[in-house]
Amino acid sequence: MTKHRIVVVGGGFGGIQTVHGLKGSSADITLIDRRNHHLFQPLLYQVATTLLATSEIAWPIRRLYRDRKDVTTILDEVVDVDTEAKLVRLQSGRAIPYDTLVLATGARHAYFGRDEWEKLAPGLKTLEDATTLRRRILLAFERAELSEKTADRDALLTFAIIGAGPTGVEMAGTIAELAQKVLPPEFRSIDTTATKVILIEAGPRVLAAFSEDLSAYAKSALEKLGVEVRTGKPVTAITEEGVTVGETFVPCRTVIWAAGVQASPAAQWIRAEADRAGRTIVGPDLSAAHDPNIFVIGDTASVKQDDGKPVPGIAPAAKQQGAYVAKVIKARLAAKPAPAPFRYFHQGSLATIGKRAAVIDFGRIKLKGGLAWWIWGLAHIYFLIGTRSRLAVAWSWLWIYLSGQHSARLITQKETLKDEA
Amino acid sequence: MTKHRIVVVGGGFGGIQTVHGLKGSSADITLIDRRNHHLFQPLLYQVATTLLATSEIAWPIRRLYRDRKDVTTILDEVVDVDTEAKLVRLQSGRAIPYDTLVLATGARHAYFGRDEWEKLAPGLKTLEDATTLRRRILLAFERAELSEKTADRDALLTFAIIGAGPTGVEMAGTIAELAQKVLPPEFRSIDTTATKVILIEAGPRVLAAFSEDLSAYAKSALEKLGVEVRTGKPVTAITEEGVTVGETFVPCRTVIWAAGVQASPAAQWIRAEADRAGRTIVGPDLSAAHDPNIFVIGDTASVKQDDGKPVPGIAPAAKQQGAYVAKVIKARLAAKPAPAPFRYFHQGSLATIGKRAAVIDFGRIKLKGGLAWWIWGLAHIYFLIGTRSRLAVAWSWLWIYLSGQHSARLITQKETLKDEA
């Protein structure tokens, strides 16, 4: 008898958890990703803001499965799925046959139809996004140091972050700290403490997923770091000269996108129904409505909670779905009854604001300030993969905490100032 | 009275040492580099071969001088020098006036007039060079895993390194170890222990700067790791299909250049005489023959030892020259007699071969094997800048030593296999 073939597409939190949950099944598992590494996205903003090095939050996927002889890793990109012939088609031209398919292909930034904004206001999803943002942020200070006109200098020292979810809040807080605490003694012409960091949110408040009092606390903690919080008005234009918030034009040369996301084209590959954000609509067991052999999980799936609200696009949700789908597949392989429909359990929301403050919303328990910051840090270290990464990140943070120095302040990829212009 | 203006171009070992030596002078110092970081080049091969992370061997130049108010750092590229008006012209269009100029602008790879080889056989001088090589090496294994033809697979699993100086020897040893010890359990279609690493040297032996017995030991240590050493014949052709050594064609898809270097165009900027490798010929006090206000040091200067041999292009030589020039400038500023002419003191030659062997040639004392490896490691940690980097690199090496795992195995910069092709 040939083995059951499971193909998992995407080595993010959902895909990794699926493969993990399938341990001990008799199936042959193939994991496909277009990158060679699994990325710990919740800390990606720390690479963009010079706190952590790239290799501290990314692991070769292949390495994770060195002892799992049932798992084959393929570095390639999916271009389509043939649901009739049960084949995953790859960019290299190869086609991988499956009996069961799990799509965990995540999401990218979305610019609400204004795709021309992408170049001006890059987002943060991949390691390259993070090193690109790092380069832009550091180069803004370098250019300001060399600028001869006050207006240029002020625009170079203004950073606009669009979207005040956890990523936007964390980026804003860290850039403000960099400008206020780390860089001042290093520049001779400019005063980096005059840097303006503007956090722009179309909704009524920052961290909308948190309770109102935590949201208010986050706002005041940001303001203490010197961040200007502008809520209630959307960005209506972005140019090389600056952003327009509502009717007001703000001159600035660095704009960072932390607002909308758009799901991967998984729904198109399998010709399934998608919601407005492109997420595949799935059944109660997370399988595609028209094909019980295909599961869709994580940021590329549209799943509702009991109260009708969508399951949030965060790592714990993807991990829960990955673990659930592994259980469903194992039950099928063992000809056992299917598990109860998927239910999302919200463990809590966390966000950090600079070096000593954070907010945590566990539902009944709410924490803010220094204690929350320590819990935030320990929780993230716990969820990293492997002893080495945990020690490395803990050590990097400890160093920053004690010395006030950021260690990963490298401008890479482009040779000169001119190349970037 | 206006202050004396010293402009130092290049933040490598020579430039940094010059600025260091000028501490306490009354001059205004400007340090110009086109990169924002000082790079510890002797360990760059470890980034290329997944042993270290980029931020472990690079430091923001600005950061090094945060407490030196007499030092201004400029991120820009020199395009010319106006020796009449005493101005350094920058790519941004700015011109920086100087009273004394120190050029420490290093060298790049040279392909002996075969510039078309550069794309096929990249060298190793910058952080981007290192991450590019890392990507190529890791992608070769990924492609081999997916290849369907034996000939393709064999060529993908063949790595040619051209030039058997310390960098070439160290690259060859580390790639062989990666293939033999780290990767085997992670691949399902290929046997990475079948990888061929070929070290090609036109001269008669590897590590020509070392004594003959150390050179013979290095060769046998390399061969123990599975490296094929081919000496005595030059590379005559490089194509996408492979390299030709003498008359013999070797199919291989990854070629790494560790042979010749070419000095920066410093001699052209100041219209000075240069040697064949483009290095500026300088006087006994390292000043340009025709202009005592300009010094040229490090890999971009042509300096002879007492026995007529050229001073080698290594970090300790550049540092000695930087320290010497700082002394000459300080003496001039204090209207004291000039120091005796520059004399290079050779402290020794070091090279490592894989994880447990090294060779050290101190002249009278020669070491090889495990003890040499420990001295090599400690010496390199000692020469890193700052406690944090020393601890980080020591920790990374300790982890690799104990676990056998390389931690920086990331393929970045390009999204997919296809992009690279």
Side-chain angles (χ1 to χ4, degrees), chain B residues 78-352:
Chain B
V78 172
V79 291
D80 204 0
V81 175
D82 183 338
T83 53
E84 293 292 316
K86 293 190 166 186
L87 289 172
V88 176
R89 299 202 178 281
L90 304 180
Q91 199 178 45
S92 65
R94 286 165 44 113
I96 310 292
Y98 68 85
D99 298 308
T100 300
L101 177 62
V102 180
L103 297 174
T105 38
R108 280 285 307 175
H109 335 291
Y111 289 84
F112 312 127
R114 305 292 294 262
D115 290 346
E116 71 277 18
W117 287 357
E118 181 160 15
K119 235 191 122 184
L120 300 163
L124 189 63
K125 278 279 172 193
T126 67
L127 278 186
E128 283 79 6
D129 290 344
T131 48
T132 298
L133 277 179
R134 184 174 74 187
R135 186 178 73 243
R136 289 202 184 191
I137 293 166
L138 292 173
L139 277 178
F141 290 104
E142 295 292 341
R143 290 205 184 98
E145 173 83 350
L146 296 178
S147 70
E148 277 151 7
K149 287 182 213 151
T150 313
D152 279 351
R153 182 176 304 188
D154 292 349
L156 283 162
L157 290 179
T158 304
F159 297 82
I161 294 122
I162 302 170
T167 299
V169 166
E170 286 165 346
M171 288 287 294
T174 321
I175 296 172
E177 260 182 0
L178 192 66
Q180 298 298 328
K181 311 259 169 80
V182 180
L183 298 182
E186 303 186 12
F187 288 82
R188 302 291 174 256
S189 303
I190 55 169
D191 173 10
T192 65
T193 66
T195 298
K196 273 168 76 173
V197 179
I198 305 172
L199 181 62
I200 302 162
E201 168 62 47
R205 57 189 177 92
V206 305
L207 297 179
F210 292 68
S211 68
E212 290 205 16
D213 60 320
L214 289 182
S215 167
Y217 169 80
K219 180 168 186 274
S220 83
L222 283 166
E223 285 168 349
K224 244 179 234 163
L225 290 173
V227 176
E228 193 182 317
V229 179
R230 296 198 187 187
T231 52
K233 277 186 186 159
V235 166
T236 50
I238 307 177
T239 67
E240 285 183 7
E241 303 304 315
V243 292
T244 306
V245 187
E247 306 288 302
T248 318
F249 175 72
V250 181
C252 78
R253 297 284 158 78
T254 311
V255 186
I256 296 164
W257 188 260
V261 294
Q262 173 74 26
S264 74
Q268 295 166 38
W269 297 335
I270 62 171
R271 284 90 188 159
E273 203 189 336
D275 70 8
R276 263 198 332 160
R279 291 176 298 210
T280 309
I281 292 165
V282 293
D285 66 350
L286 307 183
S287 67
H290 63 306
D291 190 336
N293 299 310
I294 300 177
F295 296 89
V296 187
I297 62 172
D299 287 0
T300 201
S302 173
V303 186
K304 292 267 189 296
Q305 301 186 53
D306 292 347
D307 59 6
K309 281 189 196 159
V311 170
I314 58 178
K319 286 166 89 170
Q320 288 176 30
Q321 294 176 17
Y324 175 83
V325 161
K327 263 202 293 188
V328 173
I329 297 171
K330 271 183 155 175
R332 284 190 195 167
L333 290 179
K336 285 188 187 156
F342 174 76
R343 284 191 65 186
Y344 170 65
F345 171 66
H346 187 65
Q347 295 162 318
S349 302
L350 289 79
T352 177

Side-chain angles (χ1 to χ4, degrees), chain B residues 16-65:
Chain B
I16 294 286
Q17 199 66 41
T18 304
V19 176
H20 187 73
L22 287 169
K23 194 172 175 176
S25 83
S26 56
D28 254 341
I29 302 164
T30 301
L31 177 56
I32 303 168
D33 199 294
R34 58 182 171 180
R35 316 304 301 262
N36 88 322
H37 49 269
H38 169 68
L39 184 63
F40 194 79
Q41 278 199 357
L43 291 180
L44 194 55
Y45 84 93
Q46 296 215 344
V47 172
T49 52
T50 76
L51 290 163
L52 290 176
T54 49
S55 57
E56 287 175 324
I57 61 158
W59 305 267
I61 294 171
R62 211 169 263 303
R63 157 85 184 282
L64 300 175
Y65 302 113

Side-chain angles (χ1 to χ4, degrees), chain B residues 386-400:
Chain B
T387 312
R388 191 197 135 80
S389 299
R390 289 188 189 125
L391 289 172
V393 170
W395 155 247
S396 288
W397 285 349
L398 184 70
W399 184 266
I400 293 162

Side-chain angles (χ1 to χ4, degrees), chain A residues 62 77 128 142 413 416, chain B residues 62 77 128 142 413 416:
Chain A
R62 212 170 262 303
E77 188 163 355
E128 283 80 8
E142 294 292 341
Q413 294 165 34
T416 61
Chain B
R62 211 169 263 303
E77 188 163 356
E128 283 79 6
E142 295 292 341
Q413 295 163 34
T416 61

